[in-house]
Amino acid sequence: MVDYDVIVVGGGPAGLAFARSLAGSGLRLAVVERQPLDALADPVPDGREIALTHRSVATLEALDAWARLDPADVAPLRAARVFNGSSRFALTFGGTMSGDDRLGQLVPNHRIRRALFQAVEGQDGLTLFAGSTVTEVRTDRRRAEVALSDGRSLTARLLVASDSRLSDVRDRLGIKAEINRLGQSMMVCRVVHEGDHGGVATEWFDHGHTIAMLPLNGRMSSAVLTLPAAAMQRIAALAPEALGAEITRRYHGRLGTMTPVEAPHVYPLVMTYADHFAATRAALIGDTAVGMHPVTAHGFNFGLQGQATLARLVREAAAKGRDIAAPLLLRRYEMTHRLATRPLYTATKLLVRLYTDERPPFAIARHAALRAAAHLPLVRGTVTRLLMQH
């Protein structure tokens, strides 16, 4: 039996950021991660490009992670445009209307993971249990206890679950979640192209598919294609030349011929929202609390925001010699993070339904919605501020 103040299950971005947020607090931390140590230290590319808001960049700076990124891996996101069907009309966010040089920054997910690992490596008071899985969870008013796959048991005053949107620890804590399996898959693939994207991201809801282009440095973009799972299997299996031609065709050649520079990665689309973000001596952060659809590019930012909220409350309690897992503290965290995430999560669900349903009433409604939003500066300004989050 080993005693800690906090056990974090999940060494992904949210879990590592939370551990780093508690650096210098005097708390003893354990991070349990199923991946081996070498996979944490040098993650392989997973194809995902993260659109970081200004607030998220500031958070990574405070965690000593931002400076560890290679500037060549950071691409400016200057504006975003939304298209529907064959219409040339586009709803634009950012650019001159934002009053800022950019909406945010695009950074490869695996680079952020590596930077966060480097930030926590050797951190005083932190023990990393890599290559271990949690086999049992128990909590009561006095402590939380987890059993590991190697036979060890750990106890702590607070257990923090950050082990994916289909979290095993969340289930073991008895916390239910709204799980929306959308029956679609997302393929991400880096491509080079002839045209200049100008730092503008596009989201195009066309008939039968959704395709987005995230602008990277140079004449390169991350193509993000969403299709029913069965159709996606066929496309992802294409040879590079044929895959490039398929992406070019689906994007109607707007950036010229596209050529893949990396193998595609495919992910099933699942949205989740936990019924509660806290339980007795336990809290949920990251995708374990809120698993967003990528259409709003906000899931990662919510993960950083949530861990920062919880870490601030825990640090304040520790500094005052109070219980770091007091029911009132955990309720404050839950209320704060729910207010920050629920509106956009609900709006995203409606957006996904509106722009993926091919029945005529929905096709008419989505075009009308884009046109209406374009004539409502307050709506566009609100969305832009949300995307930027200074």
Side-chain angles (χ1 to χ4, degrees), residues 121-191:
E121 193 173 20
Q123 179 175 313
D124 288 344
L126 187 151
T127 303
L128 178 61
F129 295 87
S132 298
T133 58
V134 171
T135 59
E136 193 173 350
V137 174
R138 290 188 294 273
T139 63
D140 57 35
R141 293 183 179 180
R142 296 181 298 113
R143 66 181 184 182
E145 181 179 353
V146 299
L148 304 184
S149 53
D150 60 8
R152 286 180 289 188
S153 292
L154 312 178
T155 64
R157 291 190 284 161
L158 172 65
L159 170 64
V160 177
S162 183
D163 59 327
S164 85
R165 60 188 64 199
L166 300 178
S167 167
D168 177 67
V169 174
R170 183 181 64 210
D171 292 342
R172 292 179 184 274
L173 288 169
I175 300 177
K176 295 182 179 180
E178 173 187 321
I179 299 177
N180 295 292
R181 299 179 186 272
L182 302 175
Q184 293 185 316
S185 294
M186 175 185 73
M187 181 188 75
V188 289
C189 182
R190 279 194 168 201
V191 296

